[in-house]
Amino acid sequence: RISGKEIAELCRREGKELFDRNVRGYFGRKKNIVNKEIFKTATDPIEGSRFFFLNNGITTVCDTISYLPQKENPEIEVTNLQIVNGGQTTNSIYEAYEAGLLDDSVYVLIKIVATQNKSLVEKIAESTNTQTNVNARDLRSNDQIQKTIERILLNMGYYYETRKNKYKESPLARGKRVDMEVSTQAYYAFHFRKPADAKNKKKQLFGSLYEEIFSASEKEIAKDILLAFLVLEWVRKLHGEYKNKFTFVKYAELHSVALLGTYGIKSIEDLEKKETVNFYELILKAIGEVVKEESDQLQDEYSHRALFINSTTFGRLAEALSDLRRE
């Protein structure tokens, strides 16, 4: 391990040459949430002491290395040191140091590879910077709320997948799998009437919007999230019937779910009623009217995608559907 202060001084002393073999430049803090969090932790008097455990560390390469291995924290001499992974961490620590805000308790894990094999150095730089992204949904997979919802739905005979494809290999789960991300999108559209955001702000559903979405009791959320998911599945099953007549059905899935939630579906049993299919056809008619209106206005510039990512579209659809119901 190496102190944050030592890393910062190394960065100040060596400058940009320290990162000559790094495949990524520094992204800064203004638009990079990860770097904001690194800076925040490095400057927090409480979280600073946890930096070592919260950060992936830094990978470096050098030509030669020498130290006395019997010492617990040996002084190490290296030649031609290069940081090949951890540039964001290093620069964030350096910014905190330059601002006079770096906490003294910050330490970082550092891996030093001594080799003069240029091909190996290139492979190390490439492989340590090629990682599977961990998305916002994955970070919530072990959240207590999600685990409780999973347990409640399991008692109802459904398999809530907090991790993608968690129950894919289970024969008992066939036809009963409920994906956490998809069901949350459906739930946000169905109960919060925000289909455009549900479709286009997936990260926020498990980030900045998470507490708002999962603010009710787990028992209530589990019941409602299952209903919303089954409504979405029901809408998707009707695609084959309507996709040739209405080219927008794929783009309007979550809007259809939101409209069904607003004016029609109150329980799973409602999906089995003939009136629900009739009502869905009325929804498609209302959507068709708005699509035609927008298409006539924009002509060649019109696209289904643009219409259904617009947050004002749902209000227009709801109004068109309300007019049709009064006729």
Side-chain angles (χ1 to χ4, degrees):
R1 68 176 193 160
I2 185 170
S3 72
K5 181 181 178 182
E6 202 167 350
I7 282 290
E9 289 176 346
L10 176 67
C11 192
R12 176 178 55 79
R13 188 169 63 247
E14 301 297 332
K16 292 182 179 179
E17 291 181 2
L18 188 61
F19 305 97
D20 280 349
R21 291 182 176 177
N22 198 310
V23 298
R24 292 175 178 170
Y26 180 48
F27 300 147
R29 280 189 293 128
K30 288 185 178 179
K31 295 183 178 181
N32 189 286
I33 191 169
V34 174
N35 291 342
K36 283 182 183 177
E37 288 300 315
I38 293 174
F39 183 90
K40 182 180 176 182
T41 305
T43 56
D44 189 287
I46 296 175
E47 290 295 303
S49 62
R50 300 171 181 169
F51 195 97
F52 182 87
F53 308 103
L54 300 175
N55 188 270
N56 287 333
I58 298 167
T59 300
T60 66
V61 295
C62 64
D63 291 343
T64 61
I65 183 170
S66 62
Y67 66 101
L68 297 175
Q70 65 268 29
K71 293 180 66 177
E72 184 178 350
N73 291 304
E75 290 185 1
I76 297 172
E77 288 188 12
V78 298
T79 58
N80 194 24
L81 186 73
Q82 289 281 305
I83 292 176
V84 294
N85 181 256
Q88 310 306 313
T89 294
T90 303
N91 281 287
S92 296
I93 288 174
Y94 178 64
E95 281 193 4
Y97 177 76
E98 285 290 286
L101 299 172
L102 181 65
D103 191 78
D104 290 339
S105 63
V106 171
Y107 277 82
V108 190
L109 175 68
I110 185 166
K111 179 168 70 173
I112 306 171
V113 181
T115 179
Q116 295 184 40
N117 184 327
K118 290 183 179 180
S119 176
L120 177 59
V121 170
E122 289 177 3
K123 286 182 179 178
I124 291 171
E126 180 182 348
S127 62
T128 55
N129 284 284
T130 307
Q131 300 154 349
T132 303
N133 288 330
V134 178
N135 58 38
R137 171 249 180 88
D138 296 330
L139 293 174
R140 296 290 186 180
S141 62
N142 288 320
D143 189 276
Q144 191 56 51
I145 293 172
Q146 300 304 325
K147 285 182 170 296
T148 303
I149 293 172
E150 182 179 7
R151 186 170 63 252
I152 292 170
L153 289 185
L154 190 59
N155 289 334
M156 296 171 66
Y158 290 89
Y159 294 78
Y160 186 66
E161 296 185 312
T162 54
R163 296 192 310 276
K164 193 171 182 64
N165 296 325
K166 183 175 181 178
Y167 294 107
K168 185 179 180 180
E169 303 303 323
S170 171
L172 295 174
R174 192 168 296 130
K176 295 287 185 177
R177 292 164 56 202
V178 179
D179 181 82
M180 183 174 82
E181 183 176 85
V182 175
S183 61
T184 300
Q185 285 182 281
Y187 177 59
Y188 199 52
F190 190 80
H191 292 280
F192 290 81
R193 317 295 189 240
K194 294 184 178 180
D197 288 349
K199 182 177 180 62
N200 299 296
K201 295 184 177 181
K202 289 196 290 185
K203 286 184 179 179
Q204 286 92 320
L205 298 183
F206 297 98
S208 59
L209 296 172
Y210 187 77
E211 290 185 5
E212 174 194 353
I213 295 171
F214 294 96
S215 59
S217 70
E218 285 91 342
K219 186 175 182 181
E220 184 180 342
I221 294 171
K223 176 175 65 70
D224 290 341
I225 209 169
L226 175 62
L227 175 59
F229 178 77
L230 292 176
V231 170
L232 177 59
E233 290 287 285
W234 183 84
V235 167
R236 286 177 169 176
K237 283 179 182 176
L238 292 175
H239 270 180
E241 249 178 88
Y242 296 105
K243 68 179 180 181
N244 292 328
K245 185 177 179 182
F246 302 104
T247 58
F248 55 75
V249 287
K250 180 181 177 180
Y251 299 90
E253 283 180 347
L254 289 171
H255 287 76
S256 298
V257 168
L259 291 168
L260 284 163
T262 305
Y263 295 104
I265 306 299
K266 304 299 179 187
S267 67
I268 294 174
E269 289 72 29
D270 287 339
L271 293 173
E272 300 172 3
K273 297 177 181 177
K274 189 177 187 302
E275 307 92 90
T276 305
V277 176
N278 295 336
F279 183 61
Y280 180 62
E281 290 177 347
L282 195 65
I283 286 174
L284 292 179
K285 186 176 179 181
I287 296 174
E289 289 183 359
V290 174
V291 166
K292 186 177 186 306
E293 179 186 321
E294 189 80 354
S295 179
D296 289 345
Q297 183 179 344
L298 297 178
Q299 298 292 323
D300 292 341
E301 293 183 7
Y302 171 79
S303 75
H304 289 327
R305 183 181 180 280
L307 176 63
F308 292 105
I309 63 172
N310 191 320
S311 59
T312 65
T313 297
F314 178 70
R316 294 171 63 188
L317 297 178
E319 187 178 344
L321 180 59
S322 183
D323 290 342
L324 286 174
R325 295 182 77 201
R326 284 195 294 267
E327 290 180 1

